[in-house]
Amino acid sequence: MHEPKHSSSHPVLPLPSHEQQEVIDGLNAGFSAVVGAVPGAGKTTLLMNVVGKFRPKGEELPRFVLVTYNNALAASTKQRVNLHFPDGCEVFTFH
């Protein structure tokens, strides 16, 4: 298996799974989405791909909002997304 090439400052964005791509396609068609799943299911990967699809580098567009379960998860998610898209989304908790 070949590892994706990337620089240390800009990691390669993970490719979406088939299911994640279906969500991206639905959003692209104008639908809204609420994604709930168990830890490790790929919600953050989906989010990064959605932001990447709808926020090409250097372009202004609407902000993305992500609601997580707790503050630790919110901080971790924001850090992971910011590796690819600084200020690409707002992360909050529902508590």
Side-chain angles (χ1 to χ4, degrees), residues 2-54:
H2 293 23
E3 291 296 316
K5 294 181 181 178
H6 65 322
S7 71
S8 60
S9 62
H10 290 59
V12 172
L13 188 62
L15 293 175
S17 68
H18 174 74
E19 293 83 3
Q20 291 168 333
Q21 188 62 52
E22 287 180 347
V23 173
I24 294 167
D25 293 343
L27 292 170
N28 196 40
F31 294 97
S32 296
V34 174
V35 178
V38 299
K43 296 178 298 292
T44 304
T45 298
L46 171 61
L47 173 69
M48 290 188 295
N49 277 284
V50 167
V51 173
K53 169 76 175 168
F54 296 100

Side-chain angles (χ1 to χ4, degrees), residues 27 47 50-56 58-66 78 81 85-90:
L27 292 170
L47 173 69
V50 167
V51 173
K53 169 76 175 168
F54 296 100
R55 186 177 181 153
E59 289 189 24
E60 260 317 295
L61 64 112
R63 296 184 333 200
F64 293 89
V65 176
L66 173 68
K78 180 74 171 170
V81 173
F85 307 101
D87 302 318
C89 71
E90 296 292 325

